[in-house]
Amino acid sequence: MTDKTNTPISVVGLGLMGTALARAFLKAGHPTTVWNRTAAKADALVAEGARLAPTIGDALGGVTIVCLTDYSAVRELLGDARLDGTTLVNLTSGDSAQARETAIWAEKHGARYLDGAIMAIPSSIGTDEAVILLSGPRPDFDLGALGTVSHLGEDPGLASLYDVAGLTMMWSVLNAWLQGTAMLKTAGVDAATYAPFARQIAAGVADWLPGYAEQVDKGSFPAEVSALETDARAMAHMVEESEALGVNAELPKLIKAMADRAIAAGHGGEQYPVLIREFERPGS
């Protein structure tokens, strides 16, 4: 990616995230144009040096960042606009099919299209902690003002797909922590006391991922650490303990049900990543 910190940028959509994006570009020295349906939302940015585009058409051209509520809003807003000469970077949340459809639509309208996902909260934009995922043509301009930018490949759907995969990971970890917290609260242990232990466990599990990924990619799951049938016995304890404590047991039951299906299919002697086969099949 070329280091062009003076590349003019337009930001369309000034909600909390869009405003944070525009402010990060301004802070990094990019000439920044902004547009929003409610023009008053641009007042603070204009005071900081941004240019307010009088119409959406005036905001387009060059590198244009779009951050709206959904892909339908993007298509509706830009439907009648001329996109020739515009590099459209869509940082609107959605799914991979919507991203690919929007890429085709944008290219038919003359735009060079990149799809993106923001793995961050507005307050972290402009710091290394803000992860920005891009997919589509490799950008020839710099978006480093926003945070840590990763280009995932030419398929415009990849950024959205990574986004959803990351959210799956995030909510699964948080739900597991909340399950354990609910169990420990019955013994008078508060969440703050449990959190450091839980963090250590989560970090340890994260260290397993490269080795487990190798097994998944090879399709071979030798029980180097523990067999799935052994894990299932521990899962039964998790269900029993939750029920005995009067704590919701839906999550541990789901975890054990998936393991039980894999064991019934003959995979009890293999290692835990063999459950990928359960995740790959359509649900009932």
Side-chain angles (χ1 to χ4, degrees), residues 179 238-239 242-243 247-257:
Q179 176 78 32
M238 189 168 59
V239 173
S242 295
E243 291 179 333
V247 169
N248 191 308
E250 290 176 84
L251 179 59
K253 283 181 177 179
L254 173 62
I255 293 169
K256 187 174 185 299

PDB file of all heavy atoms in Angstrom, residues 179 238-239 242-243 247-257:
ATOM      1  N   GLN A 179     -21.236 -17.818  31.419  1.00  0.00           N
ATOM      2  CA  GLN A 179     -21.682 -19.096  31.984  1.00  0.00           C
ATOM      3  C   GLN A 179     -20.870 -19.427  33.235  1.00  0.00           C
ATOM      4  O   GLN A 179     -21.423 -19.757  34.294  1.00  0.00           O
ATOM      5  CB  GLN A 179     -21.514 -20.215  30.945  1.00  0.00           C
ATOM      6  CG  GLN A 179     -21.863 -21.610  31.447  1.00  0.00           C
ATOM      7  CD  GLN A 179     -23.356 -21.853  31.502  1.00  0.00           C
ATOM      8  OE1 GLN A 179     -24.090 -21.315  30.684  1.00  0.00           O
ATOM      9  NE2 GLN A 179     -23.815 -22.676  32.447  1.00  0.00           N
ATOM     10  N   MET A 238     -20.008 -30.393  33.293  1.00  0.00           N
ATOM     11  CA  MET A 238     -20.395 -28.994  33.123  1.00  0.00           C
ATOM     12  C   MET A 238     -21.919 -28.848  33.116  1.00  0.00           C
ATOM     13  O   MET A 238     -22.474 -27.931  33.737  1.00  0.00           O
ATOM     14  CB  MET A 238     -19.781 -28.478  31.807  1.00  0.00           C
ATOM     15  CG  MET A 238     -19.893 -26.998  31.558  1.00  0.00           C
ATOM     16  SD  MET A 238     -18.845 -26.482  30.165  1.00  0.00           S
ATOM     17  CE  MET A 238     -19.515 -27.475  28.819  1.00  0.00           C
ATOM     18  N   VAL A 239     -22.592 -29.786  32.427  1.00  0.00           N
ATOM     19  CA  VAL A 239     -24.056 -29.768  32.391  1.00  0.00           C
ATOM     20  C   VAL A 239     -24.621 -30.064  33.774  1.00  0.00           C
ATOM     21  O   VAL A 239     -25.510 -29.355  34.280  1.00  0.00           O
ATOM     22  CB  VAL A 239     -24.584 -30.801  31.372  1.00  0.00           C
ATOM     23  CG1 VAL A 239     -26.103 -30.896  31.451  1.00  0.00           C
ATOM     24  CG2 VAL A 239     -24.146 -30.432  29.956  1.00  0.00           C
ATOM     25  N   SER A 242     -24.106 -27.178  36.283  1.00  0.00           N
ATOM     26  CA  SER A 242     -25.000 -26.059  36.009  1.00  0.00           C
ATOM     27  C   SER A 242     -26.405 -26.342  36.517  1.00  0.00           C
ATOM     28  O   SER A 242     -27.036 -25.500  37.181  1.00  0.00           O
ATOM     29  CB  SER A 242     -25.035 -25.765  34.503  1.00  0.00           C
ATOM     30  OG  SER A 242     -23.784 -25.323  34.031  1.00  0.00           O
ATOM     31  N   GLU A 243     -26.904 -27.532  36.226  1.00  0.00           N
ATOM     32  CA  GLU A 243     -28.268 -27.881  36.651  1.00  0.00           C
ATOM     33  C   GLU A 243     -28.366 -27.956  38.174  1.00  0.00           C
ATOM     34  O   GLU A 243     -29.355 -27.504  38.763  1.00  0.00           O
ATOM     35  CB  GLU A 243     -28.666 -29.215  36.026  1.00  0.00           C
ATOM     36  CG  GLU A 243     -28.858 -29.134  34.510  1.00  0.00           C
ATOM     37  CD  GLU A 243     -29.226 -30.461  33.879  1.00  0.00           C
ATOM     38  OE1 GLU A 243     -28.855 -31.513  34.434  1.00  0.00           O
ATOM     39  OE2 GLU A 243     -29.877 -30.437  32.818  1.00  0.00           O
ATOM     40  N   VAL A 247     -28.328 -22.981  37.501  1.00  0.00           N
ATOM     41  CA  VAL A 247     -27.842 -22.059  36.474  1.00  0.00           C
ATOM     42  C   VAL A 247     -28.281 -22.573  35.106  1.00  0.00           C
ATOM     43  O   VAL A 247     -28.315 -23.791  34.867  1.00  0.00           O
ATOM     44  CB  VAL A 247     -26.304 -21.937  36.555  1.00  0.00           C
ATOM     45  CG1 VAL A 247     -25.741 -21.207  35.349  1.00  0.00           C
ATOM     46  CG2 VAL A 247     -25.904 -21.234  37.845  1.00  0.00           C
ATOM     47  N   ASN A 248     -28.602 -21.677  34.191  1.00  0.00           N
ATOM     48  CA  ASN A 248     -29.012 -22.058  32.836  1.00  0.00           C
ATOM     49  C   ASN A 248     -27.982 -23.007  32.212  1.00  0.00           C
ATOM     50  O   ASN A 248     -26.798 -22.702  32.172  1.00  0.00           O
ATOM     51  CB  ASN A 248     -29.144 -20.791  31.981  1.00  0.00           C
ATOM     52  CG  ASN A 248     -29.807 -21.065  30.651  1.00  0.00           C
ATOM     53  OD1 ASN A 248     -29.400 -21.959  29.915  1.00  0.00           O
ATOM     54  ND2 ASN A 248     -30.811 -20.280  30.311  1.00  0.00           N
ATOM     55  N   ALA A 249     -28.454 -24.154  31.718  1.00  0.00           N
ATOM     56  CA  ALA A 249     -27.551 -25.174  31.175  1.00  0.00           C
ATOM     57  C   ALA A 249     -27.633 -25.286  29.653  1.00  0.00           C
ATOM     58  O   ALA A 249     -27.089 -26.239  29.072  1.00  0.00           O
ATOM     59  CB  ALA A 249     -27.854 -26.526  31.817  1.00  0.00           C
ATOM     60  N   GLU A 250     -28.278 -24.331  28.979  1.00  0.00           N
ATOM     61  CA  GLU A 250     -28.441 -24.433  27.518  1.00  0.00           C
ATOM     62  C   GLU A 250     -27.098 -24.492  26.790  1.00  0.00           C
ATOM     63  O   GLU A 250     -26.914 -25.285  25.866  1.00  0.00           O
ATOM     64  CB  GLU A 250     -29.251 -23.243  26.996  1.00  0.00           C
ATOM     65  CG  GLU A 250     -30.711 -23.255  27.382  1.00  0.00           C
ATOM     66  CD  GLU A 250     -31.413 -21.990  26.912  1.00  0.00           C
ATOM     67  OE1 GLU A 250     -31.839 -21.957  25.739  1.00  0.00           O
ATOM     68  OE2 GLU A 250     -31.517 -21.038  27.703  1.00  0.00           O
ATOM     69  N   LEU A 251     -26.168 -23.614  27.174  1.00  0.00           N
ATOM     70  CA  LEU A 251     -24.883 -23.572  26.476  1.00  0.00           C
ATOM     71  C   LEU A 251     -24.092 -24.855  26.672  1.00  0.00           C
ATOM     72  O   LEU A 251     -23.649 -25.464  25.680  1.00  0.00           O
ATOM     73  CB  LEU A 251     -24.077 -22.350  26.922  1.00  0.00           C
ATOM     74  CG  LEU A 251     -22.693 -22.191  26.291  1.00  0.00           C
ATOM     75  CD1 LEU A 251     -22.808 -22.096  24.769  1.00  0.00           C
ATOM     76  CD2 LEU A 251     -21.994 -20.943  26.849  1.00  0.00           C
ATOM     77  N   PRO A 252     -23.877 -25.343  27.902  1.00  0.00           N
ATOM     78  CA  PRO A 252     -23.147 -26.608  28.034  1.00  0.00           C
ATOM     79  C   PRO A 252     -23.850 -27.787  27.376  1.00  0.00           C
ATOM     80  O   PRO A 252     -23.190 -28.684  26.843  1.00  0.00           O
ATOM     81  CB  PRO A 252     -23.004 -26.790  29.555  1.00  0.00           C
ATOM     82  CG  PRO A 252     -23.933 -25.833  30.184  1.00  0.00           C
ATOM     83  CD  PRO A 252     -24.115 -24.707  29.224  1.00  0.00           C
ATOM     84  N   LYS A 253     -25.189 -27.774  27.377  1.00  0.00           N
ATOM     85  CA  LYS A 253     -25.908 -28.861  26.696  1.00  0.00           C
ATOM     86  C   LYS A 253     -25.668 -28.834  25.197  1.00  0.00           C
ATOM     87  O   LYS A 253     -25.525 -29.885  24.550  1.00  0.00           O
ATOM     88  CB  LYS A 253     -27.410 -28.762  26.991  1.00  0.00           C
ATOM     89  CG  LYS A 253     -27.803 -29.257  28.372  1.00  0.00           C
ATOM     90  CD  LYS A 253     -29.308 -29.144  28.575  1.00  0.00           C
ATOM     91  CE  LYS A 253     -29.727 -29.707  29.930  1.00  0.00           C
ATOM     92  NZ  LYS A 253     -31.199 -29.586  30.158  1.00  0.00           N
ATOM     93  N   LEU A 254     -25.621 -27.633  24.622  1.00  0.00           N
ATOM     94  CA  LEU A 254     -25.345 -27.510  23.191  1.00  0.00           C
ATOM     95  C   LEU A 254     -23.949 -28.027  22.866  1.00  0.00           C
ATOM     96  O   LEU A 254     -23.758 -28.779  21.897  1.00  0.00           O
ATOM     97  CB  LEU A 254     -25.478 -26.053  22.764  1.00  0.00           C
ATOM     98  CG  LEU A 254     -25.051 -25.729  21.328  1.00  0.00           C
ATOM     99  CD1 LEU A 254     -25.909 -26.478  20.324  1.00  0.00           C
ATOM    100  CD2 LEU A 254     -25.106 -24.229  21.069  1.00  0.00           C
ATOM    101  N   ILE A 255     -22.983 -27.639  23.678  1.00  0.00           N
ATOM    102  CA  ILE A 255     -21.598 -28.082  23.454  1.00  0.00           C
ATOM    103  C   ILE A 255     -21.520 -29.607  23.506  1.00  0.00           C
ATOM    104  O   ILE A 255     -20.910 -30.245  22.643  1.00  0.00           O
ATOM    105  CB  ILE A 255     -20.675 -27.444  24.514  1.00  0.00           C
ATOM    106  CG1 ILE A 255     -20.604 -25.932  24.308  1.00  0.00           C
ATOM    107  CG2 ILE A 255     -19.278 -28.055  24.457  1.00  0.00           C
ATOM    108  CD1 ILE A 255     -19.937 -25.172  25.431  1.00  0.00           C
ATOM    109  N   LYS A 256     -22.162 -30.192  24.521  1.00  0.00           N
ATOM    110  CA  LYS A 256     -22.109 -31.655  24.659  1.00  0.00           C
ATOM    111  C   LYS A 256     -22.889 -32.356  23.547  1.00  0.00           C
ATOM    112  O   LYS A 256     -22.467 -33.418  23.054  1.00  0.00           O
ATOM    113  CB  LYS A 256     -22.648 -32.077  26.021  1.00  0.00           C
ATOM    114  CG  LYS A 256     -22.455 -33.592  26.284  1.00  0.00           C
ATOM    115  CD  LYS A 256     -22.847 -33.986  27.672  1.00  0.00           C
ATOM    116  CE  LYS A 256     -22.514 -35.460  27.911  1.00  0.00           C
ATOM    117  NZ  LYS A 256     -23.240 -36.367  26.986  1.00  0.00           N
ATOM    118  N   ALA A 257     -24.016 -31.780  23.121  1.00  0.00           N
ATOM    119  CA  ALA A 257     -24.811 -32.412  22.063  1.00  0.00           C
ATOM    120  C   ALA A 257     -24.005 -32.532  20.774  1.00  0.00           C
ATOM    121  O   ALA A 257     -24.080 -33.553  20.072  1.00  0.00           O
ATOM    122  CB  ALA A 257     -26.081 -31.611  21.823  1.00  0.00           C
TER     123      ALA A 257
END
